[in-house]
């Protein structure tokens, strides 16, 4: 059930307590991939996970702006502070919990959101308002995960599978020419760079040519299967806090 398309009576009559909130970002993804890449991928993975489970799941509209100041030198990038983001996610989850949708998986498409989502998930859960746990798709795709990058092989592959019209194929050579091979500028296990523009000329990290449509299909299958397993686990879990158990 997508909340965007459902009516309030549909929600009143549904039996489930399980919800998904896709979380994206609006930020540069190189010259070849759209600013909304993380919105598209988060929604696609959320759909793929939900369609694999027997439980009814309420799917909220995507949260489209996240913690992305590290891309601020690239036009069109939007961001909010981690504090604003955490508060927004928390209140959005609380509104779901108000209707009994109090087991929530935050399906994330953006690396910059990871720490804030983990933190807010813990806060929501410990305070007893709901149970909330983040899932970041590119951490859940097996050996592919090591090649994540940015606008690189994984994201470009998933876009080629889910929304090929959004990939500017005629700019792939340009994307490859200005790319970095890895994220950050590391010395003694410290990342000296705060902004992506310090280590990548055009915002790309990794080779977008290494992610064809077939790979995107496999990524969606892996991420969808992983999310489905998580949804089943969250549905079955004793989410009461240990200190409140008998
Ligand atoms: Zn991205």
């Amino acid at each position: 059930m997508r909340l965007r398309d459902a009516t309030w009576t549909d929600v009143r009559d549904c039996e489930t307590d399980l919800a998904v909130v896709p979380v994206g970002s609006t930020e540069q993804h190189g010259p070849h991939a759209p600013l909304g890449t993380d919105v598209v991928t988060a929604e696609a993975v959320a759909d793929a996970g939900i369609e694999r489970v027997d439980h009814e799941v309420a799917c909220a509209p995507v949260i489209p702006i996240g913690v992305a100041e590290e891309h601020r030198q690239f036009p069109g990038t939007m961001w909010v502070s981690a504090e604003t983001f955490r508060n927004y996610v928390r209140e959005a989850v609380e509104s779901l919990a108000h209707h009994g949708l109090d087991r929530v998986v935050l399906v994330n498409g953006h690396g910059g959101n990871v720490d804030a989502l983990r933190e807010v998930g813990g806060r929501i859960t410990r305070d007893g308002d709901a149970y909330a746990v983040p899932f970041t798709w590119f951490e859940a795709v097996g050996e592919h995960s090591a090649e994540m990058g940015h606008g690189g092989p994984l994201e470009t592959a998933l876009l080629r599978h889910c929304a090929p019209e959004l990939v500017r194929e005629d700019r792939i050579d340009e994307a490859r020419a200005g790319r970095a091979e890895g994220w950050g500028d590391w010395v003694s296990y410290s990342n000296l760079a705060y902004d992506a523009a310090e280590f990548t000329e055009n915002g790309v990290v990794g080779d977008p040519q290494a992610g064809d449509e077939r790979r995107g299909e496999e990524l969606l299958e892996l991420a969808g299967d992983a999310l489905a397993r998580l949804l089943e686990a969250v549905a079955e879990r004793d989410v009461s806090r240990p200190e409140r158990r008998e």
Side-chain angles (χ1 to χ4, degrees):
M1 176 177 61
R2 287 169 183 270
L3 294 186
R4 187 191 67 191
D5 304 331
T7 66
W8 72 265
T9 54
D10 295 333
V11 179
R12 177 195 62 193
D13 297 340
C14 83
E15 297 290 319
T16 192
D17 57 2
L18 192 58
V20 159
V21 179
V23 184
S25 179
T26 299
E27 81 198 26
Q28 73 84 12
H29 277 81
H32 66 297
L35 294 160
T37 293
D38 299 346
V39 167
V40 173
T41 56
E43 287 188 310
V45 169
D47 287 344
I50 290 169
E51 77 185 19
R52 285 166 164 77
V53 294
D54 295 328
H55 283 91
E56 188 169 13
V57 182
C59 187
V62 68
I63 293 175
I65 299 169
V67 184
E69 193 174 0
E70 71 270 23
H71 297 292
R72 59 209 266 270
Q73 288 85 1
F74 297 95
T77 295
M78 299 178 72
W79 65 88
V80 294
S81 69
E83 184 184 11
T84 297
F85 177 77
R86 287 193 305 265
N87 288 337
Y88 190 90
V89 170
R90 178 181 180 134
E91 291 178 27
V93 168
E94 285 172 353
S95 64
L96 293 172
H98 177 75
H99 305 295
L101 296 163
D102 59 3
R103 293 171 187 254
V104 179
V105 177
L106 306 160
V107 176
N108 177 41
H110 172 51
N113 293 341
V114 168
D115 290 351
L117 286 174
R118 186 71 200 171
E119 195 178 329
V120 73
R123 194 71 270 148
I124 291 166
T125 299
R126 291 185 177 120
D127 290 350
D129 300 316
Y131 178 80
V133 68
F135 170 85
T136 296
W137 73 263
F138 51 82
E139 294 176 341
V141 289
E143 58 199 24
H144 294 283
S145 294
E147 284 182 69
M148 177 48 189
H150 189 77
L154 303 200
E155 288 183 306
T156 307
L158 194 48
L159 284 172
R160 281 177 171 137
H161 179 62
C162 298
E165 70 284 1
L166 296 179
V167 180
R168 280 65 165 180
E169 296 291 351
D170 58 343
R171 299 186 199 155
I172 292 295
D173 289 344
E174 180 190 345
R176 300 183 78 200
R179 75 184 193 268
E181 289 304 331
W183 182 273
D185 191 359
W186 297 83
V187 175
S188 299
Y189 304 96
S190 284
N191 183 3
L192 297 174
Y194 286 103
D195 289 338
E198 292 174 79
F199 53 84
T200 168
E201 194 181 308
N202 63 10
V204 177
V205 177
D207 184 358
Q209 195 61 49
D212 62 9
E213 188 276 335
R214 179 68 196 87
R215 189 174 190 184
E217 185 181 6
E218 188 183 336
L219 291 169
L220 190 62
E221 264 170 40
L222 289 167
D225 287 347
L227 177 56
R229 288 193 297 274
L230 178 64
L231 288 167
E232 299 283 2
V234 169
E236 304 302 329
R237 187 175 176 80
D238 176 0
V239 295
S240 66
R241 290 302 87 203
E243 70 275 19
R244 288 178 210 145
R245 290 176 195 162
E246 290 290 315

